């Protein structure tokens, strides 16, 4: 076993001791159930940890992560997480968090082939196509990359709003707010893109479900 791997188990023991020192009922209370107010949909990137960035504790954030924080409406994993979060846990906020320097977004801007992931990256390429006028107008490569990270995140918030799960919740009068954030790897700060949706009339009428 590598030292790194052994260290993980040691770290776990230390963490348990520390938590119990702060609150002897910490694990007992968590074992009773969860009522997180937030669903986080973020990138799998190891540098974007949801709880650390938001200063939230275990039990406060329900999390779904994939490459480039995509909301793909045929992705059963995402739909299951979303359905459970909205209809069982009754989260009040959903944040889609993109990040500058995202490898998935970068790959979507080029023509490289990386294996099966190409099929996932295709969804990000669709996002580029929907926003190509805005993006192609930016000459500087870094600026265009940053803008694409932002526009892709906005597109995924829109994709969330288009789901029957979110539209049903709104129709039933459930309080549910959707937000788009971008995290800066260089700074640690998040930027709220202010794509705040709280009802389906915010969507293009073609996507408004009559439910
Ligand atoms: Zn990423």
């Amino acid at each position: 076993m590598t030292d790194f791997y052994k260290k993980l188990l040691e770290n776990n023991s230390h963490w348990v001791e520390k938590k119990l020192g702060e609150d002897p009922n910490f694990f007992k209370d968590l074992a009773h159930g969860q009522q997180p107010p937030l669903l986080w949909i973020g990138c799998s990137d190891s540098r974007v940890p949801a709880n650390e960035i938001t200063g939230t504790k275990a039990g406060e954030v329900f999390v779904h992560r994939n490459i480039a924080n995509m909301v793909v409406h045929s992705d059963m994993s995402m739909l299951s997480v979303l359905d459970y979060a909205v209809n069982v846990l009754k989260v009040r906020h959903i944040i889609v968090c993109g990040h500058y320097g995202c490898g998935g977004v970068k790959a979507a801007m080029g023509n490289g082939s990386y294996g099966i992931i190409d099929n996932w990256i295709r969804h990000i390429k669709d996002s580029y196509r929907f926003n190509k006028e805005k993006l192609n107008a930016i000459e500087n490569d870094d600026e265009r990359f940053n803008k694409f990270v932002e526009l892709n995140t906005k597109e995924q918030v829109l994709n969330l709003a288009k789901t029957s799960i979110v539209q049903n919740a709104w129709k039933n009068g459930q309080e549910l707010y959707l937000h788009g954030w971008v995290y800066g790897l260089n700074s640690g700060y998040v930027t709220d893109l202010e794509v705040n949706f709280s009802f389906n009339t915010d969507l293009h009428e073609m996507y408004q479900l009559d439910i």
Side-chain angles (χ1 to χ4, degrees):
M1 280 195 290
T2 64
D3 288 344
F4 172 76
Y5 180 75
K6 278 188 216 154
K7 188 81 182 137
L8 298 177
L9 295 166
E10 278 171 33
N11 287 348
N12 174 251
S13 298
H14 293 148
W15 178 71
V16 172
E17 283 162 26
K18 184 172 166 274
K19 286 289 166 193
L20 290 176
E22 290 163 6
D23 175 5
N25 293 317
F26 183 78
F27 296 104
K28 253 188 224 162
D29 290 345
L30 279 178
H32 282 142
Q34 58 170 339
Q35 263 194 316
L38 168 67
L39 166 62
W40 173 276
I41 299 178
C43 183
S44 300
D45 194 300
S46 61
R47 299 164 294 179
V48 195
N51 286 90
E52 257 182 273
I53 288 172
T54 54
T56 45
K57 296 181 288 219
E60 290 186 316
V61 190
F62 202 60
V63 174
H64 179 77
R65 291 170 73 174
N66 61 39
I67 287 164
N69 44 272
M70 301 302 287
V71 176
V72 175
H73 71 274
S74 54
D75 174 1
M76 273 307 289
S77 175
M78 184 282 296
L79 288 174
S80 304
V81 169
L82 178 64
D83 186 52
Y84 192 75
V86 171
N87 291 320
V88 180
L89 299 174
K90 309 272 187 206
V91 297
R92 290 176 64 198
H93 298 273
I94 305 178
I95 293 172
V96 178
C97 187
H99 68 101
Y100 295 117
C102 182
V105 171
K106 181 85 178 167
M109 293 175 82
N111 295 98
S113 175
Y114 307 95
I116 200 164
I117 196 177
D118 296 345
N119 300 287
W120 185 256
I121 288 170
R122 238 204 63 194
H123 294 296
I124 318 171
K125 285 181 179 285
D126 288 342
S127 215
Y128 193 100
R129 184 163 55 83
F130 299 150
N131 295 287
K132 69 173 184 240
E133 279 82 16
K134 278 183 211 161
L135 290 166
N136 287 345
I138 304 170
E139 281 183 25
N140 181 283
D141 286 348
D142 291 339
E143 281 175 31
R144 193 166 64 250
F145 181 21
N146 288 343
K147 192 65 172 177
F148 186 25
V149 165
E150 294 167 9
L151 292 175
N152 181 54
T153 303
K154 284 185 181 177
E155 203 64 54
Q156 304 321 308
V157 179
L158 261 171
N159 284 343
L160 258 186
K162 291 172 192 166
T163 63
S164 57
I165 298 165
V166 168
Q167 290 195 45
N168 262 309
W170 283 337
K171 207 77 173 181
N172 295 333
Q174 198 170 324
E175 204 179 0
L176 183 63
Y177 305 101
L178 312 185
H179 316 272
W181 284 10
V182 174
Y183 175 72
L185 293 177
N186 289 329
S187 69
Y189 286 108
V190 292
T191 306
D192 186 342
L193 297 173
E194 307 204 346
V195 268
N196 305 313
F197 288 104
S198 54
F199 202 67
N200 72 353
T201 44
D202 293 331
L203 288 170
H204 185 289
E205 61 182 21
M206 197 181 165
Y207 294 105
Q208 292 177 21
L209 297 176
D210 197 12
I211 41 183

